[in-house]
Amino acid sequence: MPREDLQNRERLPAAVYDLALRLGVEPDTRRSTVKITQTGRMKRQLGASAWMPFTAVQSISTGECAFEWKARAGPFGMVTAIDALEKGEGRFDIMALGFIPIARAAHTSALVRGELMRYLAELPWAPDAILHNPDLFWRVEGPDQLAVSAGSVDTRSEVILSLDREGRIAGAFAPDRPRSVIAPFLPTPWRGRFSQYRNHNGFSIPFAGEVAWEIDGKEDVYWQGRIETWDAH
């Protein structure tokens, strides 16, 4: 047995190690980055009835908590959004024509927490990270729930992953994701759902997902997307 695999078996709860294998992770093969293209729709603001179509490209690291999501929306793709986590810093920018700032989030611990929660929730799209990201901390919450966390002190973040009947990740939930990137930060229940799993390049990957906030006991879905291409290398 390779030394790294032995260390992973010792470090991770058995349920987490088994989840990685079910999703197609090979213990002795490390793929550092996932590349995704997406299409979908999102709301400009919560409570709105209108949806805005988007296209996006995303990279997700499997060895550290890092990702970058670049989307184009609006007429002729004139609006660009960048959502990212890199070297422990969060980024959320909206620009017109690729260079005119519309909105830019300040670098705060709340922004980092929100981006960490996004990374943790999107592990179904980067299953190699379950075994190969040493910055993730796991515990078993029940027969069909796993808690995964990352960060420290004021950026510590945790997401609860729920499993479906086949033992794949069907949902992600955080009770306190910051809903605003400026004060007040409004910690709010937030969840994502994954569906349409396919066997793809040796992995079991969900090709559809949606995200919602829960406000005053009501769920507001604000993002729905589909994977068009998925590759890990």
Side-chain angles (χ1 to χ4, degrees):
M1 180 182 297
R3 181 177 180 181
E4 182 179 358
D5 186 30
L6 179 60
Q7 291 174 339
N8 285 334
R9 285 179 178 270
E10 294 175 345
R11 177 176 61 89
L12 297 171
V16 174
Y17 187 90
D18 292 344
L19 168 64
L21 297 188
R22 281 196 301 275
L23 296 181
V25 179
E26 299 175 357
D28 56 350
T29 302
R30 179 187 291 269
R31 301 169 183 84
S32 62
T33 307
V34 168
K35 298 287 188 180
I36 296 170
T37 62
Q38 296 173 332
T39 58
R41 62 179 190 167
M42 57 187 178
K43 293 181 179 179
R44 288 185 174 89
Q45 61 186 17
L46 293 177
S49 58
W51 291 82
M52 178 172 58
F54 73 86
T55 61
V57 295
Q58 183 173 0
S59 62
I60 307 174
S61 171
T62 65
E64 61 179 338
C65 296
F67 72 89
E68 182 180 68
W69 183 78
K70 293 183 178 180
R72 290 188 176 275
F76 308 106
M78 294 175 61
V79 178
T80 302
I82 299 177
D83 199 15
L85 178 65
E86 184 178 10
K87 297 180 180 179
E89 293 292 335
R91 179 183 178 187
F92 182 77
D93 297 339
I94 300 177
M95 295 170 286
L97 301 175
F99 66 94
I100 302 173
I102 297 176
R104 176 166 293 171
H107 291 187
T108 63
S109 59
L111 176 61
V112 174
R113 290 189 69 241
E115 303 296 21
L116 274 172
M117 289 180 187
R118 173 171 180 167
Y119 178 89
L120 298 173
E122 292 184 346
L123 287 174
W125 287 333
D128 272 317
I130 297 171
L131 286 192
H132 300 306
N133 186 343
D135 297 328
L136 304 184
F137 300 91
W138 296 85
R139 72 173 189 275
V140 177
E141 284 286 283
D144 58 355
Q145 286 192 331
L146 301 169
V148 58
S149 61
S152 61
V153 193
D154 58 347
T155 65
R156 184 167 179 80
S157 306
E158 183 175 86
V159 167
I160 305 298
L161 303 177
S162 57
L163 309 182
D164 63 18
R165 293 180 179 179
E166 287 73 37
R168 306 167 303 192
I169 299 171
F173 176 75
D176 59 350
R177 189 181 186 199
R179 179 159 45 101
S180 172
V181 294
I182 58 174
F185 298 115
L186 304 175
T188 304
W190 173 82
R191 70 173 65 250
R193 296 187 182 90
F194 298 94
S195 59
Q196 297 184 24
Y197 267 87
R198 301 180 191 172
N199 293 322
H200 182 75
N201 291 352
F203 291 90
S204 184
I205 301 294
F207 271 66
E210 67 176 22
V211 184
W213 295 101
E214 292 183 9
I215 302 173
D216 297 329
K218 296 181 180 180
E219 184 176 282
D220 189 347
V221 176
Y222 67 92
W223 186 96
Q224 294 176 326
R226 294 180 57 84
I227 301 297
E228 299 297 333
T229 64
W230 184 97
D231 186 41
H233 59 272

